[in-house]
Amino acid sequence: MLLRLFLSFLKIGAFTFGGGYAMIPLIEREVIERKKWIAREEFLDLLTLAQSAPGPISLNTAVFVGYKLCGYSGALAAILGTILPSFTIILMIALFFREVRHNVWVDAAFRGMRPAVVALIVYPVVKLARGMHLAMLLVIIGSALAIWYLGWSPVLLLALGGVGGICWELIQIRKGGVR
């Protein structure tokens, strides 16, 4: 299982451009749809935890998925699989960057990848938002606007969301008993 976990995250790490958020749809597809290691709802909980923890969301998600499946050794296998391709690529770029820094073809390739990276970032947001209650969608839109236009801290909004979720559950418990 550890080898399968390592190889799955190695594949994800090797074929993802654009950073942590771009990895989320690939992680989701691998661990939920292809391998069926984790249920979708549980993955969303792990993703929420990964977003709330310090560090890149892709690494946090890999750690949480690996830990869920195989404990500490699973977390280590997943994190090594995730970072090994990036580390190798960055090492190669560092060694040869001077020679290709002003290469027209390299610059064109990076410009061409930008729209795909944006799509990889938007995809999980749209997929996670599907089926949400209208009030939740309004909270998402309001949060995004508060960050972009009002300059609010995402940490503040996460804390407010956590407090709001706890308050909501307490209200639901009082209304109809334990959920």
Side-chain angles (χ1 to χ4, degrees), residues 29-40:
R29 189 174 306 119
E30 184 74 9
V31 303
I32 296 172
E33 296 169 15
R34 294 191 67 218
K35 304 289 186 188
K36 299 190 185 325
W37 287 336
I38 295 177
R40 182 169 307 283

Side-chain angles (χ1 to χ4, degrees), residues 79-109:
I79 198 86
L80 287 175
T82 303
I83 65 172
L84 189 61
S86 298
F87 175 78
T88 305
I89 291 167
I90 289 172
L91 181 62
M92 292 304 187
I93 288 172
L95 292 173
F96 300 108
F97 185 68
R98 284 187 187 170
E99 289 83 26
V100 298
R101 174 174 39 183
H102 298 294
N103 185 305
V104 174
W105 299 105
V106 171
D107 188 47

Side-chain angles (χ1 to χ4, degrees), residues 1-6 37 69-70 77:
M1 181 64 181
L2 287 176
L3 181 60
R4 290 188 350 208
L5 191 60
F6 172 79
W37 287 336
L69 296 174
C70 296

Side-chain angles (χ1 to χ4, degrees), residues 41-73:
E41 188 170 303
E42 191 172 15
F43 180 76
L44 293 177
D45 292 341
L46 291 175
L47 193 58
T48 300
L49 186 59
Q51 176 66 32
S52 302
I57 190 170
S58 59
L59 297 181
N60 291 344
T61 304
V63 167
F64 293 141
V65 168
Y67 183 79
K68 169 82 176 123
L69 296 174
C70 296
Y72 289 115
S73 56

Side-chain angles (χ1 to χ4, degrees), residues 99-174:
E99 289 83 26
V100 298
R101 174 174 39 183
H102 298 294
N103 185 305
V104 174
W105 299 105
V106 171
D107 188 47
F110 282 120
R111 277 197 317 263
M113 282 188 250
R114 284 184 197 144
V117 169
V118 170
L120 286 171
I121 292 170
V122 170
Y123 173 79
V125 172
V126 171
K127 193 165 184 175
L128 291 173
R130 253 192 252 148
M132 281 189 174
H133 190 273
L134 178 62
M136 296 304 283
L137 293 174
L138 292 175
V139 168
I140 292 169
I141 293 167
S143 297
L145 293 174
I147 292 169
W148 290 329
Y149 294 112
L150 301 177
W152 287 18
S153 167
V155 174
L156 171 66
L157 291 174
L158 281 171
L160 289 173
V163 169
I166 291 169
C167 291
W168 177 259
E169 279 302 311
L170 290 173
I171 291 168
Q172 297 307 310
I173 288 169
R174 287 191 179 168

